[in-house]
Amino acid sequence: MEGLRFVSKRADENDSGVFVQGIHYPAMLVEKSGVWIKHAGSAMLSQQEYVIESLGYPTLLVADEGDLQFAFGEHCWPLLKGESVMIPAGTEGCRLLNAKDCRLLWFTLDGPLTATLLRQINAHNRVPAKQGILPSQILLIRQIVQVLVRHSGTSDASFQLAQLLWGIIAAHKGHSVATSAVLSHEIARVVDAMRQCQYKESFSLAEMAAISRMPVEAFRKRFTVELGIPPLGYLQFQKMERAKTLLRNGMSVKDTGVEIGMSDPYHFSKQFKHVVGMSPTAYLRHVGSVAEDE
């Protein structure tokens, strides 16, 4: 996979560290925004010295744990815990020194407006340079890595990644930005499971709790706090949103119900009306089909 690579200077050493990286293919709407996160990852380094390779995109590299040195050409400067460096696209010859036991985070940017975004945070450089970074931004970058690695190779997390990216920019510009912009790992596991089955499965509360690996009541409370809605209510909401999409794409009411796990048309119509405020047929008359929009 293209992206960032750390190559140990010791060719005879097999254990170069633990590396995790993902790649993002943006959804159309995010791509039209002009800038998006392309890669993100983390590394726990086990050697003293590395060469950084394959920098095809502007890269923000963060020292998340431990202190090391960053070298480029004749220049070498400390990269302490909580500090970062911006590396321009196409840069070659960057090195990490005294890096053993350090943990790094990084993400790369892509899109026609990348240079404009970098100028907004004083990071549009010709050569690698230290980059000012806030603790809240590092928390957001950790979340970027978690989200992108979990959804690597897809556009499934495009809007979440866009939210996190703009959170980083807003924090840099002095705006008030929450540091908990994504779900905890336990709750994210459940939300991902719902989405992966296209909301066709009707998970019980106990089944959701089992996926999260939490006791039922602790899961229910945590889910409600993080999303602002109880688990079963969230599942019902997502089922109806999926149903709207299917109906507008020309699927019959009966088949739409089957696709979201409600094979009884009466039950589906009743639940749809309860959530949406009108029956599936009335909804389609009201908003029209996708074909009519085109």
Side-chain angles (χ1 to χ4, degrees), residues 174-250:
H175 296 198
S176 177
V177 175
T179 57
S180 297
V182 298
L183 302 177
S184 65
H185 180 68
E186 294 84 358
I187 302 305
R189 285 169 58 89
V190 178
V191 171
D192 288 347
M194 292 181 191
R195 180 167 57 181
Q196 285 165 6
C197 75
Q198 294 287 291
Y199 309 105
K200 191 169 185 176
E201 299 294 330
S202 295
F203 295 101
S204 68
L205 190 60
E207 288 170 334
M208 294 183 195
I211 293 170
S212 74
R213 299 174 184 170
M214 296 175 65
V216 172
E217 187 58 22
F219 162 73
R220 185 191 65 77
K221 290 180 178 178
R222 171 88 75 84
F223 190 104
T224 304
V225 166
E226 293 195 24
L227 281 101
I229 184 173
L232 296 177
Y234 175 84
L235 177 60
Q236 188 80 325
F237 170 84
Q238 293 293 0
K239 281 179 176 289
M240 296 308 135
E241 288 301 303
R242 171 75 174 149
K244 289 180 185 178
T245 300
L246 296 172
L247 289 167
R248 297 197 72 188
N249 283 333

Side-chain angles (χ1 to χ4, degrees), residues 6-9 16-19 43-52 61 63 65-71 79 95-104:
F6 299 87
V7 180
S8 172
K9 291 291 287 182
S16 59
V18 179
F19 300 86
M44 178 61 73
L45 305 177
S46 62
Q47 301 302 311
Q48 290 289 359
E49 187 172 351
Y50 293 82
V51 173
I52 302 177
L61 184 68
E65 291 290 342
D67 303 336
L68 65 158
Q69 291 177 302
F70 182 92
L79 192 61
R95 308 186 311 280
L96 303 175
L97 310 175
N98 301 320
K100 186 176 180 180
D101 298 328
C102 291
R103 181 173 185 266
L104 302 178

Side-chain angles (χ1 to χ4, degrees), residues 244-245 247-250 284 287-294:
K244 289 180 185 178
T245 300
L247 289 167
R248 297 197 72 188
N249 283 333
L284 195 56
V287 301
S289 67
V290 170
E292 291 171 338
D293 291 341
E294 294 176 345

Side-chain angles (χ1 to χ4, degrees), residues 22-243:
I23 186 169
H24 168 225
Y25 299 106
M28 182 178 66
L29 192 60
V30 172
E31 187 171 0
K32 286 182 178 296
S33 74
V35 61
W36 58 88
I37 294 168
K38 183 65 176 180
H39 310 89
S42 67
M44 178 61 73
L45 305 177
S46 62
Q47 301 302 311
Q48 290 289 359
E49 187 172 351
Y50 293 82
V51 173
I52 302 177
E53 294 186 350
S54 301
L55 288 170
Y57 303 86
T59 303
L60 183 68
L61 184 68
V62 180
D64 193 38
E65 291 290 342
D67 303 336
L68 65 158
Q69 291 177 302
F70 182 92
F72 173 70
E74 298 179 353
H75 303 280
C76 182
W77 59 83
L79 192 61
L80 307 180
K81 177 181 177 179
E83 294 184 341
S84 67
V85 59
M86 177 58 73
I87 308 172
T91 303
E92 297 181 356
C94 296
R95 308 186 311 280
L96 303 175
L97 310 175
N98 301 320
K100 186 176 180 180
D101 298 328
C102 291
R103 181 173 185 266
L104 302 178
L105 306 172
W106 67 86
F107 69 86
T108 70
L109 294 172
D110 194 13
L113 293 181
T114 296
T116 302
L117 185 151
L118 292 176
R119 288 190 184 97
Q120 290 293 311
I121 58 174
N122 300 316
H124 189 249
N125 313 313
R126 291 177 297 172
V127 295
K130 292 283 284 288
Q131 174 66 24
I133 194 166
L134 297 166
S136 59
Q137 292 174 300
I138 295 176
L139 288 172
L140 292 169
I141 293 169
R142 288 177 190 156
Q143 294 167 354
I144 285 171
V145 173
Q146 179 193 113
V147 170
L148 197 150
V149 169
R150 200 168 72 240
H151 297 285
S152 180
T154 73
S155 62
D156 289 350
S158 277
F159 302 114
Q160 194 172 15
L161 290 168
Q163 175 193 21
L164 291 166
L165 176 60
W166 290 109
I168 289 173
I169 308 308
H172 189 90
K173 303 298 287 185
H175 296 198
S176 177
V177 175
T179 57
S180 297
V182 298
L183 302 177
S184 65
H185 180 68
E186 294 84 358
I187 302 305
R189 285 169 58 89
V190 178
V191 171
D192 288 347
M194 292 181 191
R195 180 167 57 181
Q196 285 165 6
C197 75
Q198 294 287 291
Y199 309 105
K200 191 169 185 176
E201 299 294 330
S202 295
F203 295 101
S204 68
L205 190 60
E207 288 170 334
M208 294 183 195
I211 293 170
S212 74
R213 299 174 184 170
M214 296 175 65
V216 172
E217 187 58 22
F219 162 73
R220 185 191 65 77
K221 290 180 178 178
R222 171 88 75 84
F223 190 104
T224 304
V225 166
E226 293 195 24
L227 281 101
I229 184 173
L232 296 177
Y234 175 84
L235 177 60
Q236 188 80 325
F237 170 84
Q238 293 293 0
K239 281 179 176 289
M240 296 308 135
E241 288 301 303
R242 171 75 174 149

